[in-house]
Amino acid sequence: MGIILLALGLVLIAEGLVYALAPSLVERLLELLRALTEEQRRNAGLASLALGLVLVWLAFWLGI
């Protein structure tokens, strides 16, 4: 349970930094996302999911 809370906290820190430091960039990214088709957004989500899984596996492999 502790590792889940740690992961959630790290995600919130990263997202919070983006919104705090570059809110206009977030707006532009949202506009770009709206321009993508549903399939393109789904593929981007799947790629993000795969990258996240690789990073978690790597962290466990390194003993973090």
Side-chain angles (χ1 to χ4, degrees):
M1 182 67 172
I3 192 98
I4 293 172
L5 291 175
L6 175 64
L8 182 59
L10 290 172
V11 167
L12 291 173
I13 289 169
E15 293 221 4
L17 278 173
V18 172
Y19 284 107
L21 298 177
S24 61
L25 178 62
V26 173
E27 289 296 321
R28 284 188 282 161
L29 288 173
L30 288 173
E31 289 173 12
L32 290 172
L33 282 173
R34 282 187 209 107
L36 295 176
T37 65
E38 185 176 328
E39 182 178 342
Q40 289 172 319
R41 288 191 305 260
R42 180 174 289 119
N43 288 337
L46 289 171
S48 177
L49 174 66
L51 177 60
L53 286 171
V54 168
L55 291 174
V56 168
W57 174 83
L58 182 61
F60 278 118
W61 185 74
L62 291 173
I64 297 174

